[in-house]
């Protein structure tokens, strides 16, 4: 069982903070960010942060089988 909890306020704040850092690193609407990770509570934060910058993302979870995509 996963006992990690994240309030909506934490989610929004963490997403905004990461978005600011991504923009500082040069992410813009023409940027594509690849996310390679197992399922984690942080993935929605990364996705929202990416979208807040205007960038796009593509995700990949190595443990998924072909049929799960």
């Amino acid at each position: 069982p996963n006992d990690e909890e994240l309030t909506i306020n934490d989610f929004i704040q963490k997403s905004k903070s990461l978005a600011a850092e991504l923009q500082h690193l040069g992410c813009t609407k023409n940027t594509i960010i690849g996310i390679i990770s197992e399922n984690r509570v942080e993935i929605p934060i990364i996705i929202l942060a990416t979208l807040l910058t205007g960038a796009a993302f593509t995700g990949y979870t190595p443990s998924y089988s072909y049929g799960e995509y």
Side-chain angles (χ1 to χ4, degrees), residues 1-2 4 35-47 59-65 68-69:
N2 189 347
E4 295 179 71
I35 302 169
I36 301 173
S37 177
E38 298 298 326
N39 289 336
R40 299 188 46 85
V41 70
E42 295 88 356
I43 296 298
I45 294 169
I46 297 166
I47 292 170
Y60 175 71
T61 302
S63 64
Y64 281 1
S65 68
E68 292 177 289
Y69 283 102

